[in-house]
């Protein structure tokens, strides 16, 4: 962290959200009920989202503070979740430093000129708060409105961002990404290090503006074998967590298909581990190691089943988490766009009722 950027001692700062069930669970303190929020709780499952987004391209919607505020608040109003997540996308900071990219409907992020050489890497400059003034503004609007409900800031982790930059868009196999990782480890290390600096700066902007917690999405890290994760990815993610550690806000670390990586991800330094649905939470806690709260982990496709089946599966998640210090109920990955929003509202009620202390 640079000298000019000393955190304003937020570790001890009391905010209206400090005593929320979400932040208490992050700190592994007693809670009145298990807090719950959903990855991708804002978005296409909500008709009010589709209406708000009408005629506004995805990336542009992320740069309009009033619209960001409205979309972020929609699931809080509708479902009564215990936390809001800032509406944005993991590629927003890359766009902000001048990477030519777009988010294509039905596809995802698409990069005009993929990063494959040292000269391409040199185009990735550091991010300053001035590059993302709309984020500072929107977080301010949100924290005013949210009061005691915490706001989670987020960013993409270096590996997941690198995969989009190198492949040029979504991938299932990460062939070019792995080709660079194994074929030019020095270029790879410089790329993920640079992304760690950008990501750290982007998270700092959100925290300084008032976010109460941050989540690092390493969504696609599950594509890696543990030894490759340790060697090629862990140092960059650890750098991001170290960068925001002085603020004292809870740091969540999430990836999909990362059952075999949970121990190593634990070493990267976050306060909470986000777990997908493939590993039961009691087993995940053993793998992550002591001193961390867990977040997860209902399979998002369970929400397409009838209500009794959803409740049985949700109960199993709560039961597996019963012996943990600190559990935040979530899905094992994001809400799928065709999910019935009423099923999500009922799930929030169920988790709150079932876990009431
Ligand atoms: O037009 C649209 O509505 C586009 C769909 C969409 C939305 C609603 C995209 C494109 N991004 C988003 C918002 C978004 N992205 C949020 C919203 C906040 C909330 O949770 O309510 C978040 C947290 C993200 C983060 C994100 N973007 C991740 C990490 C989380 C995850 O789901 O693993 C990733 C991998 C992306 C890339 C991305 N952006 C959009 C899509 C369709 C994708 C995935 C593409 C792929 O399959 O690789």
């Amino acid at each position: 962290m640079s000298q000019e950027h000393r955190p304003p001692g937020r570790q001890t700062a009391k905010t209206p959200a400090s005593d929320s069930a979400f932040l208490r669970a992050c700190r592994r303190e007693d809670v009145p009920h298990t807090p719950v929020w959903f990855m991708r709780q804002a978005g296409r499952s909500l008709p009010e989202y589709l209406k708000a987004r009408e005629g506004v391209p995805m990336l542009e919607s992320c740069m309009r503070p009033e619209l960001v505020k409205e979309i972020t608040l929609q699931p809080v109003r509708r479902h009564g979740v215990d936390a809001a997540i800032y509406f944005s996308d993991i590629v927003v900071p890359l766009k902000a430093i001048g990477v030519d990219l777009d988010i294509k409907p039905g596809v995802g992020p698409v990069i005009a000129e993929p990063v494959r050489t040292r000269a391409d890497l040199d185009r990735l400059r550091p991010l300053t708060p001035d590059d993302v003034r709309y984020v500072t503004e929107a977080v301010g609007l949100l924290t005013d409105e949210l009061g005691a409900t915490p706001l989670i800031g987020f960013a993409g982790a270096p590996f997941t961002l690198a995969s989009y930059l190198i492949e040029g868009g979504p991938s299932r196999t990460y062939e070019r990404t792995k080709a660079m990782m194994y074929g030019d480890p020095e270029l790879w290390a410089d790329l993920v290090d640079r992304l760690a600096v950008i990501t750290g700066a982007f998270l700092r902007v959100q925290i300084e503006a008032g976010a109460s917690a941050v989540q690092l999405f390493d969504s696609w890290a599950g594509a890696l074998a543990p030894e490759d994760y340790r060697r090629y990815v862990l140092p960059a993610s650890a750098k991001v967590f170290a960068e925001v550690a002085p603020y004292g806000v809870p740091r969540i670390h999430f990836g999909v298909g990362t059952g075999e990586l949970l121990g190593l991800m634990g070493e990267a330094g976050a306060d909470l581990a986000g777990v997908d649905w493939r590993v039961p939470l009691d087993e995940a806690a053993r793998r992550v190691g002591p001193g961390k709260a867990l977040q997860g982990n209902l399979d998002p496709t369970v929400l397409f089943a009838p209500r009794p089946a959803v409740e049985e599966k949700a109960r199993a998640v709560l039961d597996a988490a019963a012996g943990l210090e600190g559990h935040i109920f979530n899905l094992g990955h994001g809400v799928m766009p065709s999910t019935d929003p009423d099923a999500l509202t009922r799930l929030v009620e169920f988790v709150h009722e079932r876990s009431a202390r």
Side-chain angles (χ1 to χ4, degrees):
M1 167 157 317
S2 64
Q3 288 301 315
E4 315 83 75
H5 252 101
R6 283 273 156 243
R10 290 183 62 90
Q11 302 91 315
T12 50
K14 270 262 178 199
T15 68
S18 297
D19 256 333
S20 61
F22 172 82
L23 287 175
R24 291 185 64 85
C26 288
R27 298 191 301 258
R28 294 179 292 126
E29 296 169 0
D30 293 341
V31 285
H33 60 260
T34 299
V36 47
W37 70 280
F38 304 119
M39 293 184 274
R40 299 263 178 125
Q41 62 190 15
R44 288 167 294 172
S45 65
L46 300 184
E48 59 270 37
Y49 167 81
L50 297 173
K51 189 148 193 299
R53 277 280 320 281
E54 247 169 45
V56 190
M58 176 64 196
L59 266 178
E60 196 186 322
S61 69
C62 298
M63 295 171 194
R64 291 195 194 173
E66 282 292 342
L67 191 56
V68 169
K69 180 184 98 172
E70 168 58 23
I71 293 175
T72 301
L73 292 173
Q74 284 174 347
V76 179
R77 288 188 203 117
R78 184 192 265 262
H79 303 310
V81 283
D82 293 274
I85 179 153
Y86 183 80
F87 179 76
S88 182
D89 191 82
I90 57 168
V91 295
V92 164
L94 301 177
K95 179 79 181 174
I97 59 160
V99 176
D100 185 357
L101 64 87
D102 197 7
I103 297 180
K104 297 238 155 75
V107 179
V110 177
I111 316 288
E113 290 176 63
V115 173
R116 293 183 185 155
T117 64
R118 172 92 26 204
D120 297 332
L121 171 60
D122 290 340
R123 301 198 312 260
L124 300 178
R125 65 163 175 83
L127 178 132
T128 71
D130 277 347
D131 294 319
V132 286
R133 287 218 189 129
Y134 46 87
V135 174
T136 300
E137 190 184 334
V139 171
L141 293 173
L142 274 163
T143 49
D144 285 349
E145 194 96 5
L146 281 164
T149 303
L151 176 69
I152 304 168
F154 77 87
F159 170 77
T160 291
L161 289 177
S163 79
Y164 286 104
L165 285 172
I166 298 169
E167 304 291 336
S171 172
R172 285 179 181 281
T173 50
Y174 310 100
E175 49 212 57
R176 288 175 182 274
T177 308
K178 290 184 180 181
M180 184 193 291
M181 195 184 269
Y182 303 133
D184 194 343
E186 240 173 74
L187 179 61
W188 169 262
D190 289 349
L191 171 59
V192 286
D193 187 73
R194 201 168 283 212
L195 290 170
V197 173
I198 293 166
T199 293
F202 189 60
L203 291 176
R204 279 212 312 263
V205 167
Q206 296 173 71
I207 297 168
E208 298 222 353
S212 303
V214 289
Q215 176 154 327
L216 191 69
F217 282 96
D218 209 351
S219 300
W220 313 137
L224 297 168
E227 273 317 301
D228 290 338
Y229 180 85
R230 181 199 295 279
R231 180 163 170 197
Y232 297 111
V233 174
L234 198 156
S237 289
K239 182 168 179 161
V240 176
F241 288 122
E243 182 72 14
V244 293
Y247 291 93
V249 304
R251 300 159 299 162
I252 311 169
H253 195 183
F254 170 77
V256 184
T258 48
E260 299 301 326
L261 303 179
L262 285 171
L264 289 170
M265 289 176 77
E267 288 177 29
D271 307 292
L272 292 91
V275 181
D276 85 357
W277 61 93
R278 293 172 180 91
V279 183
L281 290 176
D282 46 355
E283 172 58 21
R286 276 188 286 277
R287 295 186 188 184
V288 169
K292 290 184 199 285
L294 293 193
Q295 177 173 279
N297 68 342
L298 186 74
D299 182 341
T301 58
V302 164
L303 287 157
F304 296 93
R307 184 172 180 170
V310 176
E311 296 189 348
E312 193 188 319
K313 289 289 201 182
R315 196 177 299 123
V317 170
L318 290 170
D319 289 350
L324 306 182
E325 276 179 62
H327 173 221
I328 291 159
F329 192 101
N330 205 313
L331 304 178
H333 196 192
V335 173
M336 304 180 82
S338 52
T339 305
D340 173 5
D342 291 341
L344 289 166
T345 309
R346 286 195 301 264
L347 178 56
V348 173
E349 284 166 8
F350 178 80
V351 171
H352 284 167
E353 277 164 25
R354 172 90 194 167
S355 66
R357 316 281 200 264

